[in-house]
Amino acid sequence: MNALSRWLGRYLRSAVEGSYRLDEAGALTVFGATPDASGMNVTERTSMSSAAVFACVRLISQTIGSCPIDLFETRSDGAKIRATSNPLYGLLANSPSDAMTPMTWEQTAVANLLLWGNHYSYLDKSGPNPRIKRIVPLPPELVTPDFKDNYGTEIVYKFAGQRGYDSI
């Protein structure tokens, strides 16, 4: 048994026996974490003030954002073809919205995935024509997925906007 196994076993045994809490500083070091002496709260937004986090998020999101977005569909025979007839194809390839290029939208999506673990975009179908007119990224911290019913068969997304929560 190596030293790490003995050391980890000692902390886990003492935690089970109730003599040592896993949320204490010594136990946190088992998982590579140390308490922050400054007492500063680290969130997704505040982490971007760290040069290393900012550089990593920027590098990854710009690299992926520079790749073209191709939308494919699978035919009945199993072949994959470009889904040029899909209404999202033109938006993703040319302009998701008036304010964003495809590259900017994709960079935003990747940055949200890296920092929050999720990305949400609103598909704007306003007006008399039900076609999607634009794709608008939403701040992930303002979107809450929820079940529409008690059976969990349909997911709704609640957006915390200026008017409170709206289902989108």
Side-chain angles (χ1 to χ4, degrees):
M1 180 185 289
N2 64 28
L4 178 62
S5 297
R6 285 192 305 273
W7 185 78
L8 182 59
R10 184 181 72 195
Y11 279 107
L12 293 177
R13 270 192 308 281
S14 59
V16 169
E17 294 164 1
S19 63
Y20 195 83
R21 292 185 6 231
L22 283 175
D23 60 347
E24 290 184 30
L28 291 173
T29 59
V30 170
F31 304 103
T34 56
D36 189 357
S38 71
M40 184 176 189
N41 232 1
V42 179
T43 67
E44 295 84 353
R45 294 238 182 251
T46 61
S47 67
M48 286 294 282
S49 63
S50 163
V53 173
F54 179 80
C56 290
V57 169
R58 189 183 77 196
L59 176 68
I60 295 168
S61 64
Q62 285 181 347
T63 302
I64 294 174
S66 66
C67 298
I69 303 173
D70 286 327
L71 193 61
F72 288 91
E73 62 184 338
T74 306
R75 294 190 319 204
S76 58
D77 63 357
K80 292 185 180 186
I81 58 168
R82 272 207 177 103
T84 54
S85 61
N86 188 308
L88 288 175
Y89 187 86
L91 287 171
L92 291 173
N94 301 317
S95 178
S97 72
D98 295 337
M100 297 186 122
T101 64
M103 183 175 179
T104 307
W105 178 84
E106 197 171 0
Q107 286 174 357
T108 303
V110 171
N112 288 346
L113 287 168
L114 291 170
L115 293 168
W116 280 272
N118 275 318
H119 169 76
Y120 303 99
S121 279
Y122 176 68
L123 303 178
D124 184 9
K125 300 178 189 176
S126 60
N129 187 352
R131 290 184 61 101
I132 299 168
K133 292 177 180 44
R134 60 188 178 135
I135 305 170
V136 182
L138 299 173
E141 71 272 22
L142 299 180
V143 178
T144 306
D146 198 5
F147 292 111
K148 190 173 187 175
D149 55 23
N150 291 334
Y151 305 107
T153 56
E154 188 177 346
I155 297 176
V156 293
Y157 298 91
K158 295 180 180 175
F159 178 67
Q162 295 175 350
R163 299 175 294 167
Y165 277 96
D166 291 325
S167 290
I168 51 174

